[in-house]
Amino acid sequence: MNLALLFDEDFVAPDRVVLQGRRLEHIKSVLGVAIGDQLPVGCVNGLMGLGEVVKLTDSEAELVVMLEQQPPAPLPLTLILAMPRPKMFRRILQTSATLGIKDIWLINSYKVEKSFWQTPLLSNENLRENLTLGLEQAKDTILPSVHIRKLFKPFVEDELPDLLKDKQALVAHPGTANACPTHSNRAAALCIGPEGGFTPYEVGKLEDAGCQSVHLGPRILRVETAVPVLVARLFDACL
Ligand code: SAH
């Protein structure tokens, strides 16, 4: 946690917050803060700055906050992801938030196991918690939005073409002819398949909607690895 992300419910006055639970534990045991110390804070979807510890007990820390700094620029990337298995999904959510991705679409695909959609990680509360951890790592405040689409065909036929407008649209698919572009630094939409990969039919549908298939070399990467590799190739901002 390189920044404590603050939510409405943390504020006890316009410039005062009370932290409990995970954030309190972290600032005490990892950061070892004392009264008078300042630490980075940020208001969710708002400004960042410093919080000065004015009260510290076993159960809470009270901070006076000064918020004047803009969060870092978002990455102009729409990430379209075949729903991953839960353990990997948690890490991908956090990493995506850390990298500055603000628009995440979770879609079905033939090789997505049906049980993956049952994970409690998809609840609003758990999505917010994992995205928060990613933002706190990066020192960012803008919460990404997550859209869930459990039917592949209607999504790809009815929604995807609009999503791709004015963007470089790519589907990462091993073994295709073209290598993923580098340093493109323009608005992009990126589709990433499930552990078993997209089927040829699905790749065809994504191409029909406007995506270009690209590869990342001969090694097959886990989805959680493919995301940062693709982002780092496309955007200099995150290097
Ligand atoms: N068994 C699958 C691989 C799936 S890897 C197959 O052979 O197709 C999971 C996803 O990560 C892929 O669908 C793709 O979107 C991405 N990915 C992993 N390694 C990649 C590579 N070398 N090139 C392009 N995409 C890759």
Side-chain angles (χ1 to χ4, degrees):
M1 184 175 87
N2 295 306
L3 164 145
L5 196 62
L6 308 174
F7 293 84
D8 284 351
E9 57 265 31
D10 300 320
F11 282 83
V12 292
D15 67 342
R16 255 169 210 261
V17 294
V18 168
L19 302 184
Q20 296 161 331
R22 174 183 64 80
R23 289 167 301 169
L24 174 68
E25 278 314 305
H26 187 92
I27 64 175
K28 285 200 332 195
S29 55
V30 181
L31 304 179
V33 299
I35 287 182
D37 286 352
Q38 293 189 325
L39 57 117
V41 293
C43 198
V44 69
N45 295 323
L47 295 173
M48 315 192 304
L50 290 172
E52 182 174 329
V53 181
V54 292
K55 188 176 153 199
L56 195 57
T57 69
D58 283 349
S59 59
E60 61 182 46
E62 193 168 319
L63 279 66
V64 171
V65 300
M66 292 142 285
L67 302 168
E68 290 169 348
Q69 198 190 334
Q70 292 294 336
L75 216 57
L77 174 65
T78 297
L79 182 65
I80 300 159
L81 203 62
M83 182 62 197
R85 72 174 57 248
K87 242 170 98 177
M88 204 186 276
F89 178 47
R90 182 197 303 272
R91 291 194 291 259
I92 294 171
L93 272 178
Q94 295 182 16
T95 304
S96 300
T98 299
L99 289 168
I101 298 169
K102 301 300 178 195
D103 197 25
I104 302 171
W105 294 72
L106 299 169
I107 66 168
N108 199 30
S109 150
Y110 186 71
K111 290 182 183 161
V112 168
E113 286 178 33
K114 285 203 170 52
S115 64
F116 294 175
W117 291 110
Q118 305 306 321
T119 176
L121 291 172
L122 283 171
S123 73
N124 284 338
E125 197 188 354
N126 286 328
L127 287 172
R128 187 178 96 159
E129 181 184 310
N130 283 295
L131 295 170
T132 295
L133 291 171
L135 292 176
E136 289 185 334
Q137 170 65 38
K139 287 185 149 188
D140 188 359
T141 66
I142 311 297
L143 214 49
S145 45
V146 177
H147 315 262
I148 297 169
R149 294 294 183 269
K150 295 188 189 172
L151 294 174
F152 178 85
K153 199 162 165 253
F155 168 74
V156 173
E157 289 181 354
D158 305 336
E159 290 190 275
L160 189 59
D162 275 349
L163 262 183
L164 304 184
K165 267 199 191 116
D166 301 322
K167 297 193 181 87
Q168 178 171 48
L170 306 172
V171 47
H173 192 54
T176 47
N178 298 310
C180 177
T182 54
H183 308 286
S184 89
N185 293 314
R186 46 179 285 231
L190 183 60
C191 306
I192 301 190
E195 255 171 77
F198 284 125
T199 63
Y201 166 80
E202 289 169 338
V203 173
K205 294 294 283 180
L206 293 167
E207 287 177 345
D208 289 347
C211 296
Q212 186 202 349
S213 293
V214 293
H215 72 78
L216 294 168
R219 296 169 198 275
I220 305 293
L221 307 176
R222 286 208 177 117
V223 177
E224 64 188 286
T225 310
V227 172
V229 165
L230 282 155
V231 165
R233 279 179 79 104
L234 293 175
F235 300 102
D236 296 340
C238 64
L239 299 179

